[in-house]
Amino acid sequence: IADCTGDNAGDSVGPTADGFETYGVTGVALISFILLAVPSATDQVKLLVWIFAMRLVMVIASGLAYIINDIIAKARYSQLRKMNFETPLKTLVWLASFISIASTYIASYVLISDLPMGLWWKLASVITCGTLAGAIIPEVTTFFTSVHSTHVKEVVTSSREGGASLNVLSGLTAGNFSAFWIGGVVIVGLMAAAYGISIEFPSSFMFEPAVFAFGLVAFGFLGMGPVTIAVDSYGPVTDNAQSVYEL
C-alpha cells in the first residue's frame, strides 16, 4: 500500500509542479527579453499585450479541445467493451494543437498586424513551431513506447529468447533511435525553422531575435499546459491500477 501511494503521489505531483514551474518561468523570460531587446516603448507594449494574450488563447484552446474530445470519445467508445486508451489522448493533443495554432494566427493578426514587415505572422509561425513540437514529440514517442511498437516487441523478444546482454543491447538500440528522432530530427528541425523565420525580423525592431524565437518555441511548446497535464495524468492512473492489481 505504501508503494502504491508513493508511486501515485510522485507521478501526480512531479509532472504538475514541473509543468507549472516551467510554464511560469518561460513567460517571465520572454517578458524580460522584450523589455531589454526591443528599443521602441510602443513595440514593447504591443508585444507584452500579445504575449499575455497568447497564453490566454492557448489555455482557452486547451479547454475547448478537452470538451470537444470528451464529446467525441463518449460517442465513439462509451458502448465498446475494448478500446485503445492511447487514441483519445492522441486526439486530444492534436485537436488542441490545431485549435491553438488557428487561434494564434487570428489573435496575432488582431493584436499586432500593424508591426513592420509582416511580423504578426512570423511571430505566430515561431510559436506554431513550439505547438507542433508538443504534438509531434508524443506521437514519435509512441513509436518506441507503445505496446504495439515494433521496438517494444523486439525488446520483449530479446528478453524471452536471449540473455541479459541481448536484452540490454536491444533496449539501448531502441533508446538511441528514440533520442535521434525526438531530439535530433523533431526538436532540431523545429528550432531550425524558428531560427530561419527569426532572421527575417528587421534589425531595428529587436536585438538578437533568434534568442526571442527560441523562447517563443518553448512558449508554444508549454502553451497547452492543461492538455499536457491531462495527458500526463494517464501515467499515474495506469501506475496506480497496476499497483492495486499486484496487491
Side-chain angles (χ1 to χ4, degrees):
I1 293 172
D3 175 64
C4 177
T5 304
D7 241 8
N8 200 35
D11 284 342
S12 299
V13 176
T16 306
D18 184 55
F20 277 115
E21 188 269 342
T22 312
Y23 190 74
V25 166
T26 307
V28 172
L30 287 173
I31 291 169
S32 302
F33 187 86
I34 290 170
L35 294 175
L36 293 171
V38 178
S40 171
T42 303
D43 291 338
Q44 286 181 5
V45 172
K46 290 179 182 178
L47 287 176
L48 288 173
V49 172
W50 174 74
I51 282 290
F52 281 103
M54 287 301 99
R55 181 139 287 179
L56 177 62
V57 162
M58 290 178 178
V59 171
I60 294 174
S62 297
L64 184 61
Y66 186 86
I67 293 171
I68 296 173
N69 187 67
D70 184 52
I71 295 171
I72 295 173
K74 286 181 178 178
R76 291 181 62 183
Y77 305 114
S78 61
Q79 302 301 320
L80 298 180
R81 294 181 62 85
K82 292 183 179 180
M83 61 173 287
N84 183 354
F85 289 96
E86 295 175 357
T87 303
L89 299 176
K90 291 182 180 180
T91 305
L92 173 62
V93 171
W94 281 106
L95 192 59
S97 298
F98 288 134
I99 295 174
S100 182
I101 290 170
S103 303
T104 296
Y105 279 98
I106 294 171
S108 297
Y109 178 78
V110 171
L111 293 171
I112 55 173
S113 59
D114 56 340
L115 290 179
M117 297 180 64
L119 276 173
W120 72 269
W121 68 264
K122 294 175 182 177
L123 290 168
S125 298
V126 173
I127 287 185
T128 297
C129 290
T131 306
L132 286 174
I136 295 173
I137 289 175
E139 196 72 31
V140 176
T141 302
T142 59
F143 296 160
F144 304 93
T145 59
S146 172
V147 292
H148 307 291
S149 165
T150 303
H151 292 282
V152 171
K153 291 178 181 178
E154 288 176 353
V155 174
V156 172
T157 302
S158 300
S159 302
R160 286 176 175 170
E161 301 180 7
S165 58
L166 183 62
N167 180 18
V168 171
L169 287 174
S170 181
L172 286 174
T173 302
N176 288 333
F177 267 119
S178 68
F180 170 75
W181 283 105
I182 296 172
V185 176
V186 177
I187 295 179
V188 172
L190 290 170
M191 293 288 278
Y195 175 77
I197 297 170
S198 71
I199 61 178
E200 299 296 325
F201 289 11
S203 57
S204 59
F205 176 76
M206 177 185 292
F207 304 115
E208 301 296 337
V211 178
F212 187 62
F214 291 157
L216 284 180
V217 171
F219 183 83
F221 183 71
L222 297 165
M224 297 185 300
V227 166
T228 304
I229 292 172
V231 173
D232 283 347
S233 299
Y234 177 66
V237 170
T238 53
D239 225 12
N240 203 32
Q242 181 179 349
S243 297
V244 171
Y245 174 77
E246 289 173 353
L247 287 173

